[in-house]
């Protein structure tokens, strides 16, 4: 992960005289330092801007500097907004307008006109808000006291979404083989995603990977197997299969890192020269923060890497998922999600086991090793990015994951069980209405609100299915959005 930071830009003007401006700057520095201690990324004080040029200069620098993942603006005093127009027009980084004030209370005894002139954020932030609205500039607005924990949580959430934007703009996806034959929802316009989201999606021959596997040494495999033994329980005697997966992982990682790719895809239909579909190999790469998509699904692969980066510590509990089958017993309505092999261990409730089993689908000559585990219980989301033709739609559904209600002893893969909101069948109807895919990113770390922020910053359509969604309301919403996005 790159070291990201956010820049604190305070708006003012010369009207109040140097003393007030000194106080504003001192307070802004104090606030930035205090916020840095409680937020996931540093808040760096940059400037108390009083002129068009100061604002343009800080925006130019923010656009240019890779470590700057966004700017946070605040108007301690009144800052006339015409001088913000050029800077905001040029701004290419995420923007949060922090409507706060230095003092928490109105001081009954000491308040006079000097106090009012210094502490007029209520006034200044409205002028600042107008220009954001007038310019139609995407922004997050957070109002509240700067020492309030709830406010910290909201800024932290936005910061993580903004880091998701930076990661997206840097995204390179390595495709081994094409998409699974005839599948529609995993397709998409690669030129559109590069223009809109910054993703470079390109293909590498499976033969190149096989060649790279040929160069992996026994010593490299020994070292990685030691890592597997430390992280997982070995529940198979088939050490050859584990070592083969290690060889695949090492070769894929070398290729990914050489090209600067943090996401990859493969397909069981194209494994020429390989004995096994990468299972454990892909799972352990995901555990390290790489995105993955099965059956050539590069959209879900890139999204997996982005949600991982948005999560706790820059590699949160998010993973590639697929809806498989339902339990439709009244009062126990759940989805069972899994994949052929590749479920990320960041979703696991306990220590995953390495097992080997036969895999009938695809070109596997030998039984692939894979991690088997149960998913965690807890609130989460599932996310799907689809190509509507001319635009991208991001669909997010709230879910409640549970400990799987049965052991399923013959199921040879990792499994997660959840209930979609508002309830399983309504949730499924809504998901299908919106066109959501069978592949998703399932996350325990990232919220629908953060994905909404991310979609706003990336300027793509956002659809949220949650506790209050009804199929009727959703249909109307999709109809209106379809019209709006055709005009955009
Ligand atoms: Mn699949």
């Amino acid at each position: 992960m790159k070291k990201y930071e956010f820049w604190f830009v305070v708006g003012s003007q010369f009207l109040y005289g140097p003393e007030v401006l000194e106080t504003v700057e001192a307070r802004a520095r104090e606030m930035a330092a205090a916020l840095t201690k409680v937020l996931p990324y540093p808040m760096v004080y940059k400037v108390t801007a009083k002129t068009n040029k100061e604002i343009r200069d800080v925006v130019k620098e923010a656009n240019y500097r890779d470590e700057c993942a966004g700017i946070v603006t605040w108007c301690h005093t009144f800052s006339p907004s015409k001088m913000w127009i050029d800077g905001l027009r040029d701004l290419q980084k995420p923007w949060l307008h922090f409507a706060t004030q230095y003092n928490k209370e109105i001081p009954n005894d000491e308040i006079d006109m000097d106090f009012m002139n210094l502490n007029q954020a209520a006034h200044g932030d409205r002028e600042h808000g107008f220009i954001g609205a007038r310019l139609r500039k995407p922004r997050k607005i957070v109002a509240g006291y700067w020492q309030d924990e709830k406010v910290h949580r909201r800024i932290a959430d936005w910061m993580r979404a903004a880091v998701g934007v930076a990661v997206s703009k840097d995204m390179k996806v390595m495709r081994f083989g094409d998409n699974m034959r005839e599948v529609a929802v995993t397709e998409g316009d690669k030129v559109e995603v590069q223009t809109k989201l910054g993703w470079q999606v390109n293909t590498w021959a499976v033969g190149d990977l096989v060649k790279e596997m040929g160069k992996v040494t026994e010593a490299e495999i020994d070292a990685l197997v030691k890592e597997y033994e430390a992280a997982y329980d070995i529940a198979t005697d088939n050490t050859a299969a584990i070592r083969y997966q290690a060889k695949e992982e090492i070769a894929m990682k070398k290729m990914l890192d050489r090209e600067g790719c943090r996401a990859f895809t493969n397909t069981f239909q194209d494994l020429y020269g390989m004995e096994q579909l990468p299972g454990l190999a892909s799972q352990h790469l995901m555990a390290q923060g790489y995105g993955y998509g099965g059956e050539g699904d590069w959209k879900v692969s890139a999204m997996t890497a982005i949600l991982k980066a948005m999560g706790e510590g820059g590699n949160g509990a998010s993973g590639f998922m697929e809806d498989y089958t339902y339990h439709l017993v009244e009062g126990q309505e759940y989805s069972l999600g899994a994949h052929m092999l590749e479920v990320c261990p960041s979703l696991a409730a306990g220590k995953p086991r390495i097992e080997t089993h036969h895999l009938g689908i695809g070109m596997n000559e030998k039984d692939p090793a894979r991690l088997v585990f149960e998913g965690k219980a807890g609130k989460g989301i599932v996310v799907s990015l689809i190509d509507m033709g001319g635009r991208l739609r991001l669909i997010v559904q709230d879910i409640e994951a549970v400990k799987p209600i049965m052991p399923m002893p013959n199921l040879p893969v990792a499994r997660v069980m959840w209930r979609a909101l508002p309830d399983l069948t309504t949730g499924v109807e809504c998901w299908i209405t919106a066109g959501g895919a069978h592949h998703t990113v399932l996350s325990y770390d990232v919220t629908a609100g953060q994905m909404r922020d991310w979609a706003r910053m990336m300027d793509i359509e956002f659809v949220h299915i949650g506790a209050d969604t009804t199929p009727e309301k959703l249909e109307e919403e999709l109809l209106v959005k379809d019209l709006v996005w055709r005009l955009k």
Side-chain angles (χ1 to χ4, degrees):
M1 275 298 276
K2 276 202 184 107
K3 295 265 175 279
Y4 291 109
E5 61 185 38
F6 291 81
W7 289 4
F8 196 34
V9 177
V10 179
S12 193
Q13 61 177 326
F14 286 118
L15 183 70
Y16 310 103
E19 217 174 293
V20 165
L21 290 175
E22 275 167 33
T23 307
V24 169
E25 178 175 339
R27 287 177 173 183
R29 285 184 187 280
E30 178 195 339
M31 289 162 71
L35 288 166
T36 293
K37 286 190 186 141
V38 293
L39 294 171
Y41 296 94
M43 183 89 97
V44 179
Y45 169 80
K46 289 307 272 193
V47 66
T48 298
K50 302 155 297 283
T51 64
N52 182 299
K53 185 174 183 312
E54 280 176 315
I55 296 163
R56 263 191 308 163
D57 284 350
V58 75
V59 165
K60 269 193 244 172
E61 203 190 344
N63 287 342
Y64 172 75
R65 295 281 284 274
D66 284 343
E67 71 271 25
C68 174
I71 67 163
V72 176
T73 60
W74 171 51
C75 295
H76 191 312
T77 53
F78 192 80
S79 180
S81 277
K82 282 193 199 170
M83 68 187 187
W84 285 81
I85 291 173
D86 297 333
L88 289 177
R89 189 198 49 217
D90 293 345
L91 179 66
Q92 293 162 2
K93 293 288 171 80
W95 170 26
L96 183 142
H97 176 180
F98 190 18
T100 189
Q101 67 183 16
Y102 182 75
N103 57 304
K104 186 169 190 176
E105 295 173 28
I106 295 172
N108 181 46
D109 290 332
E110 74 180 74
I111 188 163
D112 56 12
M113 226 37 224
D114 282 346
F115 181 94
M116 296 275 270
N117 279 331
L118 176 61
N119 300 284
Q120 52 174 298
H123 175 185
D125 277 324
R126 278 172 167 73
E127 168 75 357
H128 197 54
F130 164 73
I131 206 64
R134 170 70 193 259
L135 295 174
R136 277 85 172 162
K137 195 80 186 170
R139 74 238 204 260
K140 174 81 175 180
I141 300 158
V142 174
Y145 187 52
W146 62 283
Q147 292 186 26
D148 187 345
E149 246 177 76
K150 212 163 63 190
V151 167
H152 297 163
R153 224 170 12 248
R154 293 190 62 213
I155 298 176
D157 283 354
W158 172 81
M159 279 183 162
R160 293 185 198 282
V163 164
V165 171
V167 170
S168 180
K169 289 187 174 170
D170 230 11
M171 180 60 61
K172 286 171 117 181
V173 184
M174 183 171 279
R175 303 171 66 222
F176 295 113
D178 206 334
N179 294 45
M180 180 180 165
R181 283 188 286 276
E182 306 289 354
V183 177
V185 77
T186 60
E187 292 286 356
D189 182 340
K190 300 188 200 77
V191 176
E192 178 73 7
V193 293
Q194 184 154 359
T195 311
K196 207 80 196 177
L197 308 176
W199 302 356
Q200 299 173 50
V201 184
N202 290 297
T203 189
W204 272 259
V206 176
D208 288 340
L209 175 56
V210 171
K211 222 186 274 173
E212 193 70 45
M213 284 167 61
K215 294 186 217 157
V216 175
T217 66
E218 291 301 308
E220 287 174 303
I221 295 173
D222 290 342
L224 184 53
V225 169
K226 278 215 175 77
E227 268 185 55
Y228 292 161
E229 285 167 352
Y232 313 122
D233 288 331
I234 312 286
T236 175
D237 296 330
N238 190 346
T239 43
I242 298 175
R243 294 184 70 82
Y244 194 80
Q245 290 285 332
K247 189 196 279 189
E248 290 179 327
E249 176 179 338
I250 292 160
M252 285 193 288
K253 188 169 163 34
K254 280 182 187 167
M255 289 182 70
L256 289 165
D257 292 349
R258 200 182 297 144
E259 298 293 338
C261 295
R262 58 190 299 163
F264 69 104
T265 66
N266 56 21
T267 168
F268 63 88
Q269 286 174 333
D270 189 354
L271 298 173
Y272 278 97
M274 296 165 81
E275 288 176 6
Q276 305 173 16
L277 178 66
L280 171 59
S282 295
Q283 291 173 295
H284 195 245
L285 282 170
M286 276 189 271
Q288 295 162 67
Y290 294 92
Y292 172 78
E295 292 88 59
D297 191 343
W298 47 268
K299 293 200 303 300
V300 84
S301 177
M303 287 308 300
T304 303
I306 290 165
L307 270 87
K308 279 179 168 297
M310 283 168 65
E312 196 68 38
N315 184 13
S318 302
F320 168 60
M321 186 50 61
E322 178 168 303
D323 290 76
Y324 259 89
T325 194
Y326 303 125
H327 192 63
L328 293 169
V329 176
E330 221 181 312
Q332 297 185 328
E333 291 101 338
Y334 294 111
S335 289
L336 178 65
H339 206 254
M340 212 175 282
L341 301 172
E342 313 90 339
V343 182
C344 179
S346 70
L347 309 180
K351 199 173 185 186
R353 296 182 308 280
I354 299 179
E355 300 182 7
T356 50
H357 301 276
H358 178 66
L359 177 61
I361 294 176
M363 304 166 61
N364 297 279
E365 291 164 20
K366 299 207 172 150
D367 298 350
R370 79 288 306 269
L371 295 170
V372 180
F373 55 84
E374 286 188 343
K376 291 188 272 198
K379 281 190 195 326
I381 54 169
V382 284
V383 176
S384 172
L385 181 73
I386 58 170
D387 189 326
M388 291 296 287
R391 75 171 191 278
L392 299 161
R393 171 182 286 169
L394 187 74
I395 307 161
V396 177
Q397 182 159 37
D398 295 328
I399 61 163
E400 280 169 12
V402 294
K403 177 178 165 54
I405 59 168
M406 53 193 89
M408 298 172 276
N410 292 313
L411 186 66
V413 289
R415 69 293 304 266
V416 183
M417 197 172 253
W418 70 86
R419 176 179 291 138
L421 268 62
D423 59 74
L424 177 66
T425 49
T426 313
V428 167
E429 285 173 17
C430 289
W431 186 264
I432 290 172
T433 301
H438 54 287
H439 284 168
T440 59
V441 186
L442 186 149
S443 180
Y444 295 99
D445 261 12
V446 178
T447 64
Q450 287 177 289
M451 292 316 296
R452 178 167 155 254
D453 287 349
W454 186 83
R456 187 196 303 113
M457 292 186 265
M458 305 287 3
D459 191 27
I460 61 169
E461 184 187 352
F462 176 75
V463 176
H464 179 211
I465 302 164
D468 301 328
T469 307
T470 65
E472 293 84 353
K473 267 194 282 179
L474 181 68
E475 255 179 65
E476 279 169 32
E477 179 191 329
L478 293 175
L479 190 66
V480 171
K481 281 181 172 161
D482 204 39
L483 286 170
V484 171
W485 282 93
R486 272 167 210 257
L487 292 172
K488 265 190 134 182

